[in-house]
């Protein structure tokens, strides 16, 4: 089997011109009959890796997936692409299962999704033996490993696959990065000398940014107002805060719901469904939300609070932008969050000292990420053991490199205050001392008498906290967690105090100001038009999806709609060139989307906005409404010849034009002979003369269109 066939299937069924780099290797190995392990981040495009081989290979591909809730949507998406598929799981009655089994036996299906329970149930292997199985795909394969974060004991029995079907290749897929799990997968499934593919965990389309945790609510509103109608998730720390934030947003007119593990299964299913179907824009949720949510058009994820660790954070932001289109991850960070997270962890892990230490170290890494002054993606990838050559250019730090200044004097003031308070002050108290505050704690301790009292009045308390943090991160100050969070001097701080070592600090005010600039900058008109069309297409998608009772992203992904909005395809050829528009989807939705685009273009034209290449579409709109070429020419104040050239072009591009109304068969036959003689690139004038000036120019023009179309 050749990879060429696979490429054709990719275009025909999925509408994509190319495999992503690793996909092609994976597919060709599967086609060769090898066992394969695929580690790819969420959104990396795992499904294509087995769906394309399933289509081109003879027989049926059996997909084992633990996420029953997702099977329906996955099958739906395949059917929409014209690939016969079905699922069998416990949610169905016996009769339905029987029906599907018969379809399998009749060789009607290319893919069958089953839950592991069903696969291992009595008699099922015997049933499978009667089929011609091309491939087993084990999705969420990390569930097989006790090391992983989602161990499912029944998965370990999947080793029976290789024992019972030694000839059938197995592809195991997971989004887990962890190498231990990867080894476990191979061993447990008894894979035979498998090819292992580890994709980069980079998700370059997700823009990363961190903002100070001040005034979060209003900042979120600003953020949302720039993303009207774009679905997204706000992760909150507690169940209560998901509800209160959602309530507040609702009152302010946003389309929002909430989700947490304390709700009834029905309530949860409803919230999830509403979000999946784009009935609500925003979900305020605890981290319970998202497992097994396969919504590719999530455009942003906000973390209202600092997450516990980078693994969790990465998984959560990974729910944005699975379709590869631009998305945002915004994290709010405040020191108070670190403190409350520390407390939560300490309470949770009481009695398990080593576990607690591990959690605290992980939290610290998270904090470092939030406070970083270098490319954030670099830090994330580093954490997962990948190195990046260059800064990413798509995080807040890359786009607004922090401005540093010589903070030696400032640092000396702080360190000296720490020394003079006998290292007994915590951060709040130290800031009070530096700012010369007269509160009782300061006075009681007699700190108003020390030399550095009030030495930092010119700096706001908030900024003091920030600078102190930077100093903690740089090792200039130690934060004694075990001594009421008091601040201590270190070896390095002594060097600053006594040896005049220089200290570079990041200027916060500067960062904040420059950060706002690109956001308020007006978008160019071209972009605005694109956005407006995107909104229209999205509304159409929602309408079609609701009619067919599928989630909107099953119709087309955001990435596909964005490409449509940019390219504005209005005929078959240009529509099929859009990524994500395969033959089947074109037949099903192409017309609707082309009409919407054409409608949009003519509307813009009417508003006086010139859109390139659209003039013949305006003619087409008028033609569809029944106007004659003469009438159109008059309406549009154009030459009749121009209108006929539009009609010829439209016909050639496959628009529904009744050419016979303008050109009889007999006329065409004569003109076509002349064209044959002179070739299709002949000048109109020459043809006109060759035909003895007996036919109008426009008839010759139309004949050329018919001739070219017939001979293309
Ligand atoms: P995963 O299962 O790894 O999370 P998916 O298989 O859902 O990822 O794919 C994520 C998105 O990328 C989908 O919208 C999918 O259609 C798109 N995609 C996959 N392969 C390609 C490709 N070769 N070209 C363009 N888009 C692709
Ligand atoms: Zn960066």
């Amino acid at each position: 089997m050749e990879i060429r066939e696979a490429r054709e299937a990719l275009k025909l069924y999925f509408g994509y011109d190319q495999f992503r780099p690793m996909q092609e290797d994976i597919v060709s190995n599967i086609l060769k009959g090898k066992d394969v392990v695929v580690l790819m981040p969420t959104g990396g495009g795992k499904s294509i890796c087995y769906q394309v081989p399933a289509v081109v290979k003879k027989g049926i591909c059996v997909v084992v997936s633990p996420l029953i809730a997702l099977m329906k949507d996955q099958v739906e998406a395949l059917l929409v692409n014209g690939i016969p598929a079905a699922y069998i799981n416990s949610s169905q009655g016996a009769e339905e299962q029987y029906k599907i089994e018969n379809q399998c036996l009749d060789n009607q299906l290319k893919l069958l999704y089953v839950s592991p329970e069903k696969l291992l149930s009595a008699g099922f292997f015997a049933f499978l033996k009667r089929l011609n199985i091309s491939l087993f795909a084990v999705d969420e394969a990390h569930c097989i490993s006790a090391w992983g974060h989602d161990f499912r004991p029944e998965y370990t029995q999947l080793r029976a696959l290789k024992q019972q079907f030694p000839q059938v290749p197995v592809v195991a897929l997971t989004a887990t990065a962890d190498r231990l799990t990867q080894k476990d997968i191979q061993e447990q499934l008894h894979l035979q000398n498998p090819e292992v593919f580890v994709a980069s965990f980079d998700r370059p389309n997700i823009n990363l940014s961190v903002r100070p945790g001040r005034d979060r609510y209003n900042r979120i509103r600003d953020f949302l107002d720039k993303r009207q109608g774009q679905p997204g998730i706000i992760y909150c720390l507690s169940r209560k805060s998901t509800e209160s934030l959602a309530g507040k947003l609702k009152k302010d007119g946003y389309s929002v719901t909430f989700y947490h593990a304390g709700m009834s299964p029905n309530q949860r299913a409803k919230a999830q469904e509403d979000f999946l179907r784009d009935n609500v824009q925003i979900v305020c949720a605890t981290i319970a939300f998202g497992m097994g949510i396969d919504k590719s058009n999530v455009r942003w994820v906000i973390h209202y609070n600092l997450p516990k660790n980078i693994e969790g954070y990465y998984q959560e932001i990974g729910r944005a932008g699975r379709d590869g289109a631009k998305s945002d991850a915004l994290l709010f960070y405040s020191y108070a969050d670190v403190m409350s997270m520390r407390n939560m962890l300490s309470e949770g892990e009481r009695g398990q000292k080593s576990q607690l230490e591990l959690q605290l170290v992980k939290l610290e890494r998270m904090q470092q990420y939030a406070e970083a002054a270098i490319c954030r993606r670099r830090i994330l990838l580093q954490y997962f053991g990948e190195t990046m050559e260059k800064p990413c250019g798509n995080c807040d730090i890359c786009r607004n490199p922090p401005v540093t200044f010589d903070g030696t004097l400032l640092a000396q003031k702080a360190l000296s205050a720490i020394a003079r308070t006998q290292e007994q002050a915590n951060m709040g108290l130290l800031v009070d001392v530096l700012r010369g505050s007269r509160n009782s704690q300061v006075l009681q301790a007699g700190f108003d008498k020390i030399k550095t009292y009030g030495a930092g009045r010119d700096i706001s308390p908030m900024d003091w906290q920030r600078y102190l943090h930077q100093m903690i991160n740089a090792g200039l100050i130690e934060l004694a967690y075990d001594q009421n969070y008091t601040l201590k001097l270190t070896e390095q701080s002594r060097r600053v105090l006594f040896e005049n070592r220089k200290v570079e600090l990041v200027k916060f005010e500067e960062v904040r100001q420059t950060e706002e600039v690109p956001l308020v900058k007006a978008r160019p008109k071209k972009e605005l038009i694109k956005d407006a069309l995107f909104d229209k297409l999205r509304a159409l998608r929602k309408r079609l999806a609701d009619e067919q009772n599928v989630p909107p992203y099953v119709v087309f992904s955001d990435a596909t709609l964005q490409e449509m909005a940019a390219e504005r395809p209005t005929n078959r050829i240009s529509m099929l060139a859009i990524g994500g528009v395969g033959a089947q989807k074109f037949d099903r939705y192409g017309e609707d989307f082309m009409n919407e685009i054409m409608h949009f273009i003519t509307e813009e034209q009417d508003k006086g906005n010139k859109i390139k290449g659209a003039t013949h579409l305006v003619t087409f709109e008028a033609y569809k409404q029944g106007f004659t070429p003469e009438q159109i020419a008059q309406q549009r104040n154009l030459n009749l010849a121009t209108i006929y050239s539009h009609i010829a072009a439209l016909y050639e591009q496959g628009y529904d034009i009744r050419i016979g109304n303008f050109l009889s068969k007999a006329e065409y036959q004569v003109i076509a002979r002349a064209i044959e003689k002179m070739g299709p690139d002949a000048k109109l004038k020459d043809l006109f003369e060759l035909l003895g000036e007996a036919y109008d120019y426009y008839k010759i023009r139309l004949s050329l269109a018919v001739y070219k179309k017939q001979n293309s």
Side-chain angles (χ1 to χ4, degrees):
M1 190 103 29
E2 279 186 62
I3 192 72
R4 196 175 41 81
E5 262 177 87
R7 279 196 213 112
E8 282 166 13
L10 182 71
K11 181 68 192 163
L12 183 65
Y13 292 99
F14 298 92
Y16 298 129
D17 287 327
Q18 282 166 341
F19 283 112
R20 289 179 179 158
M22 213 165 264
Q23 285 175 333
E24 179 150 333
D25 272 354
I26 295 168
V27 169
S28 72
N29 271 283
I30 294 175
L31 293 181
K32 278 187 215 139
K34 291 211 68 158
D35 289 346
V36 174
V37 179
V38 177
L39 285 82
M40 223 184 237
T42 308
K46 284 186 286 299
S47 343
I48 294 281
C49 297
Y50 59 85
Q51 287 170 351
V52 167
V55 172
V56 298
K57 281 176 87 129
K58 283 211 179 62
I60 185 169
C61 164
V62 176
V63 186
V64 188
S65 165
L67 303 170
I68 293 182
L70 290 187
M71 283 183 191
K72 188 166 164 286
D73 289 346
Q74 280 165 336
V75 166
E76 205 76 60
L78 285 166
L79 292 175
V80 163
N81 279 329
I83 301 169
Y87 61 88
I88 296 193
N89 65 40
S90 52
S91 73
Q92 297 157 316
E95 201 166 318
E96 201 177 344
Q97 296 190 19
Y98 183 68
K99 202 181 91 199
I100 291 162
E101 289 181 8
N102 274 333
Q103 287 177 344
C104 295
L105 292 166
D106 273 358
N107 291 322
Q108 288 174 18
L109 301 177
K110 292 310 293 180
L111 289 107
L112 176 69
Y113 284 75
V114 294
S115 59
E117 295 82 0
K118 181 72 204 174
L119 183 84
L120 300 163
S121 65
F124 202 74
F125 272 9
F127 159 71
L128 289 182
K129 290 245 156 119
R130 297 168 62 196
L131 306 179
N132 175 16
I133 297 177
S134 58
L135 173 68
F136 284 110
V138 179
D139 207 2
E140 311 290 338
H142 60 276
C143 294
I144 205 165
S145 171
W147 299 109
H149 52 79
D150 204 15
F151 178 51
R152 308 203 177 202
E154 71 273 16
Y155 248 63
T156 54
Q157 293 172 47
L158 291 183
R159 71 183 54 157
L161 284 179
K162 251 328 204 233
Q163 289 157 355
Q164 298 279 335
F165 301 88
Q167 306 308 329
V168 180
V170 173
V171 49
L173 310 105
T174 172
T176 304
D178 156 17
R179 306 291 146 112
L180 216 64
T181 309
Q182 169 205 324
K183 248 186 88 210
D184 229 20
I185 292 173
Q186 300 181 33
E187 282 166 13
Q188 300 257 12
L189 285 176
H190 287 289
L191 300 186
Q192 289 155 5
N193 195 10
E195 283 304 318
V196 179
F197 293 90
V198 184
S200 165
F201 273 67
D202 191 11
R203 300 282 308 280
N205 61 318
I206 302 179
N207 168 40
L208 306 167
S209 57
V210 180
R211 292 284 168 88
R214 237 179 322 164
D215 200 16
R216 286 172 219 215
Y217 186 69
N218 284 317
R219 295 207 150 234
I220 289 178
R221 289 194 55 173
D222 290 344
F223 181 93
L224 293 175
D225 292 345
K226 292 193 193 90
R227 291 167 181 77
Q228 280 175 22
Q230 299 183 9
I233 308 168
I234 306 179
Y235 280 110
C236 304
L237 213 51
S238 67
R239 296 173 181 187
K240 218 173 75 196
S241 54
T242 63
E243 295 188 16
S244 64
L245 181 60
K248 227 160 131 182
L249 285 169
K250 191 166 216 153
K251 228 177 78 206
D252 284 324
Y254 293 91
S255 160
V256 56
T257 187
F258 58 88
Y259 184 103
H260 57 68
M263 294 156 64
S264 74
N266 275 345
Q267 288 172 317
R268 266 183 291 160
K270 164 101 173 65
Q272 187 166 324
E273 186 76 2
D274 280 345
F275 186 59
L276 238 51
R277 300 271 156 126
D278 287 354
N279 293 333
V280 294
Q281 184 200 351
I282 306 162
V283 190
C284 300
T286 60
I287 54 172
F289 184 72
M291 269 308 276
I293 292 220
D294 187 16
K295 181 179 167 75
S296 75
N297 66 332
V298 175
R299 288 273 68 85
W300 51 267
V301 169
I302 293 178
H303 280 83
Y304 197 85
N305 305 93
L306 191 76
K308 274 205 286 252
N309 54 48
I310 289 185
E311 287 96 331
Y313 173 66
Y314 204 59
Q315 192 163 45
E316 282 139 31
I317 64 171
R319 300 198 171 116
R322 292 183 57 165
D323 52 14
K326 271 193 190 156
S327 318
D328 291 289
L330 170 62
L331 163 68
F332 286 106
Y333 169 68
S334 81
Y335 196 65
D337 281 354
V338 181
M339 286 305 173
S340 58
M341 190 55 91
R342 287 187 72 89
N343 291 337
M344 257 172 66
L345 289 175
S346 311
E347 274 161 31
E349 304 288 350
R350 221 194 297 271
Q352 278 188 292
K353 192 146 177 293
S354 62
Q355 256 303 313
L356 177 61
E357 265 162 20
L358 179 67
Q359 303 290 341
L360 290 178
V361 170
K362 289 192 166 191
L363 177 61
E364 216 159 276
R365 298 281 303 261
M366 189 67 230
Q367 185 187 354
Q368 277 165 7
Y369 168 82
E371 290 177 352
I374 61 161
C375 172
R376 299 202 197 270
R377 202 172 311 272
R378 224 178 211 175
I379 303 179
L380 289 179
L381 292 179
Q382 188 76 47
Y383 188 87
F384 294 114
E386 272 181 60
T387 36
M388 234 167 84
E389 294 299 317
K390 288 193 304 238
C392 76
N394 195 23
C395 72
D396 51 351
I397 302 285
C398 281
R399 272 185 288 159
N400 297 292
V403 181
T404 57
F405 66 103
D406 180 356
T408 313
L409 188 65
L410 190 151
Q412 283 171 341
K413 285 181 188 172
L415 295 175
S416 153
I418 293 174
R420 286 169 203 277
T421 52
Q422 273 88 45
E423 304 183 83
Q424 291 306 308
N426 62 19
M427 194 176 289
L429 184 55
L430 192 81
V431 171
D432 282 345
V433 171
L434 283 162
R435 292 194 28 90
S437 151
R438 302 202 57 78
N439 75 29
S440 59
Q441 223 190 340
V442 174
L443 300 179
Q444 257 167 32
F447 290 158
D448 55 332
K449 306 280 185 325
I450 67 174
K451 202 169 151 217
T452 31
Y453 177 73
R457 268 202 187 89
D458 50 330
I459 293 170
S460 76
M462 208 56 192
D463 285 344
W464 261 124
Q465 280 189 26
R466 297 233 171 75
Y467 292 134
L468 291 172
H469 268 136
Q470 289 182 34
M471 293 170 69
I472 293 171
N473 275 336
L476 292 171
I477 301 175
E478 189 195 327
L479 178 59
Y481 293 111
D482 50 350
Q483 297 173 45
N484 297 319
Y485 302 101
T486 47
L487 303 179
K488 311 280 182 202
L489 297 179
T490 67
E491 235 359 86
Q492 291 201 52
S493 45
R494 284 174 229 284
R495 260 179 248 146
V496 175
L497 275 176
F498 307 117
E499 294 164 24
N500 220 5
R501 209 198 87 178
K502 286 233 168 307
V503 179
E504 286 263 299
L505 292 174
V506 174
K507 219 169 187 168
F508 275 96
E509 288 306 329
E510 298 273 341
V511 175
R512 216 172 303 137
Q513 277 164 13
T514 50
E515 228 171 36
E516 303 299 348
V517 177
L519 289 177
V520 295
K521 206 164 67 184
R523 292 172 48 81
K525 186 153 184 197
K526 209 172 120 201
E527 294 276 300
L528 290 177
I529 289 184
K530 186 181 148 201
D531 290 354
L533 177 55
F534 178 67
D535 285 345
K536 290 251 152 93
L537 298 178
R538 202 165 54 178
L540 171 64
R541 175 179 67 179
K542 171 81 177 127
R543 247 188 353 261
L544 295 172
D546 285 350
E547 272 167 31
Q548 295 166 15
N549 200 23
V550 294
Y553 57 82
V554 166
V555 176
F556 283 128
S557 74
D558 273 17
T560 298
L561 293 193
Q562 272 168 10
E563 203 180 324
M564 277 188 205
E567 303 295 329
R568 297 193 289 268
T570 51
N571 60 61
R572 185 183 154 84
I573 294 171
S574 54
M575 185 54 107
L576 280 170
I578 301 288
V581 185
Q584 181 84 11
K585 274 198 184 166
F586 178 82
D587 287 348
R588 203 148 165 176
Y589 306 119
E591 178 100 22
D592 285 329
F593 280 86
M594 290 191 306
N595 277 337
E596 187 73 33
I597 293 169
M598 258 185 296
H599 195 73
F600 177 84
I601 291 175
T602 37
E603 247 176 33
E604 287 296 307
Q605 206 97 15
D606 289 347
K607 278 193 246 157
N609 289 330
K610 286 225 157 44
I611 294 193
K612 225 182 95 199
T615 175
H616 67 295
L617 294 178
V618 181
T619 296
F620 187 55
E621 279 289 295
Y623 170 80
K624 276 197 302 189
Q625 288 165 30
F627 292 107
T628 65
E630 287 76 12
Q631 288 167 323
I632 300 172
Q634 208 165 29
Q635 282 168 13
R636 300 199 58 197
N637 200 15
L638 291 172
N639 252 317
L640 184 58
T642 308
I643 301 300
Y644 273 116
S645 75
H646 290 169
I647 289 176
L650 288 163
Y651 179 78
E652 218 178 306
Q653 288 171 20
Y655 289 92
D656 186 11
I657 301 276
R658 288 182 193 200
I659 208 84
N661 292 350
F662 310 115
L663 179 73
S664 74
K665 237 194 183 113
E667 287 168 330
Y668 174 68
Q669 276 163 358
V670 179
I671 301 174
R673 249 176 272 137
I675 296 173
E676 231 142 50
K677 231 176 253 166
M678 302 194 77
D681 296 324
K683 288 208 175 80
L684 283 183
K685 188 162 163 286
D686 295 339
L687 286 166
F688 182 68
E689 281 166 7
L690 181 70
L691 287 159
E693 307 191 356
Y695 295 90
D696 282 339
Y697 269 100
Y698 84 83
K699 299 217 177 209
I700 301 176
R701 178 76 189 79
L702 293 175
S703 300
L704 272 169
V706 177
Y707 183 87
K708 282 187 196 158
K709 193 156 180 231
Q710 279 180 355
N711 291 287
S712 73

